[in-house]
Structure formats: C-alpha cells, structure tokens
Amino acid sequence: MTMWALGMTFAMLPAFGIACLTGSAACRAQRYRIVKILGYALLVPGLAGVLTPVAMVLWLSW
C-alpha cells in the first residue's frame, strides 16, 4: 500500500499536473471567454499536481 501511495504521488500526480497545465495554456490561448475561464480552472489542479511531490519531499526531509 505504501509503494502504491508513493507511486501515485511521485509519478501520477506530476503527469496529471503537466497535462492540466498544458490544457490550461491551450485554453487560455483561445479566443472565447468561456474557454479562457476553463483554462484558469485547469490551472489550480495543475499546480496542485505538480507541487504536491515537492511539498512532500520538503515535509519528509524536515
């Protein structure tokens, strides 16, 4: 169970975060306002996915 949690944290969350940030950038580059709002909505889970492993490393090393 522990190895699964570490794999999810250090492999799947950053991949999910990168996908969300890529989608966010693509949506924000579009013309329509509703798509731009979707881009900003994707920014939050993208940053959370990318920064969670960094926060865990800092927390565990403290």
Side-chain angles (χ1 to χ4, degrees), residues 19-53:
C20 282
L21 290 176
T22 303
S24 172
C27 286
R28 285 185 289 141
Q30 299 301 315
R31 183 176 184 176
Y32 299 106
R33 183 167 178 81
I34 191 69
V35 180
K36 287 187 179 197
I37 292 171
L38 176 65
Y40 287 112
L42 283 172
L43 189 62
V44 174
L47 287 174
V50 171
L51 294 177
T52 298

